[in-house]
């Protein structure tokens, strides 16, 4: 299973690594909510007005701000592209992105896992956004949470779990570990760190 890092297809295949694991920067974030990564404005792309917590460097917020956890995305073969699947796999829908979306059930977000402040939020299919990226026009779907309430000043983490009704494969290869997601709930990210800063006087 390989959740593609959000915007990997928009920028470069070399960026296709998980969102989890990178540290947060130390400088106070700008009051401007826009998350710009490799020249792409994620807020504008997805129509989000709140602070985005997603790819580095979008791992910071200001006190009192609501925020949205974005990504990672899942890219599939296009509708008119030749599909390649692992042995014995039969898609529910011939268009791989429609197959992914049909099998997607929802997301679970755990904030500050393993601490006294741990909280869990569960959402349904409404978190999924779909679009087309790159010169080849391949489709992607990406979970973007509803806005979360402001958090206390300091360091926090968020981990994303996704749920699927059945196995899905992306049509881009034959290796299940790279090209498929299994049925059931699976961790989509690790504990992604981010920081909430006080507002300047």
């Amino acid at each position: 299973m390989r959740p593609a890092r959000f915007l990997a297809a928009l920028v470069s295949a070399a960026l296709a690594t998980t969102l989890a694991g990178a540290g947060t920067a130390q400088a106070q974030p700008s009051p401007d909510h826009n998350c710009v990564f490799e020249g792409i404005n994620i807020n504008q792309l997805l129509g989000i007005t709140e602070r985005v917590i997603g790819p580095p460097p979008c791992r910071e917020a200001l006190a009192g701000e609501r925020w949205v956890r974005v990504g990672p995305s899942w890219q599939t073969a296009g509708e008119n592209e030749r599909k390649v699947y692992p042995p014995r796999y039969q898609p529910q829908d011939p268009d791989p992105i429609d197959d992914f979306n049909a099998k997607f059930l929802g997301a679970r977000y755990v904030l500050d896992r393993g601490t006294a402040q741990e909280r869990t939020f569960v959402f349904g299919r409404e978190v999924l956004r779909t679009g087309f990226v790159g010169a080849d026009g391949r489709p992607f779907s990406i979970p973007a949470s509803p806005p979360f309430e402001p958090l206390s000043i300091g360091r926090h983490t968020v981990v994303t779990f996704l749920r699927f009704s059945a196995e899905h494969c992306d049509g881009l290869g034959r290796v299940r570990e790279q090209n498929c997601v299994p049925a059931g709930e699976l961790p989509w990210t690790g504990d992604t760190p981010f920081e909430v800063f006080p507002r300047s006087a």
Side-chain angles (χ1 to χ4, degrees):
M1 183 278 297
R2 60 104 184 91
R5 176 173 167 178
F6 178 51
L7 298 178
L10 297 178
V11 183
S12 166
L15 296 175
T17 56
T18 182
L19 285 173
T24 57
Q26 297 303 308
Q28 185 180 37
S30 165
D32 178 7
H33 286 186
N34 287 316
C35 172
V36 179
F37 179 63
E38 297 291 335
I40 296 173
N41 189 315
I42 298 174
N43 290 76
Q44 290 182 5
L45 182 70
L46 299 179
I48 296 170
T49 58
E50 294 83 7
R51 179 78 65 174
V52 164
I53 299 298
C58 306
R59 301 283 179 84
E60 301 166 339
L62 289 171
E65 286 185 327
R66 300 210 305 167
W67 56 281
V68 173
R69 175 62 170 114
V70 170
S73 67
W74 183 261
Q75 183 181 348
T76 72
E79 183 178 8
N80 299 319
E81 191 174 353
R82 181 177 176 271
K83 317 302 189 297
V84 180
Y85 292 114
R88 298 177 300 280
Y89 175 76
Q90 290 294 327
Q92 175 180 316
D93 192 293
D95 186 351
I97 198 66
D98 288 343
D99 187 77
F100 178 86
N101 293 348
K103 294 171 179 175
F104 177 79
L105 297 176
R108 179 167 65 95
Y109 299 89
V110 182
L111 307 184
D112 296 324
R113 182 165 63 167
T115 73
Q117 292 76 41
E118 179 177 319
R119 288 179 291 166
T120 297
F121 301 85
V122 179
F123 305 103
R125 299 175 187 269
E126 70 274 8
V127 304
L128 203 63
R129 316 281 182 93
T130 298
F132 296 87
V133 296
D136 55 9
R138 279 183 176 163
F140 73 94
S141 286
I142 184 168
S145 73
F148 289 110
E149 292 302 312
L151 293 173
S152 60
I153 294 169
R155 291 184 178 270
H156 297 274
T157 62
V158 56
V159 56
T160 304
F161 297 86
L162 299 187
R163 304 187 307 278
F164 295 90
S165 61
E167 181 186 38
H168 157 80
C169 297
D170 60 16
L172 296 171
R174 303 183 185 278
V175 182
R176 273 190 158 82
E177 291 76 13
Q178 296 180 1
N179 300 105
C180 304
V181 293
E185 184 178 83
L186 65 151
W188 203 243
T189 71
D191 285 295
T192 302
F194 65 102
E195 189 161 358
V196 177
F197 289 83
R199 291 181 180 270
S200 298

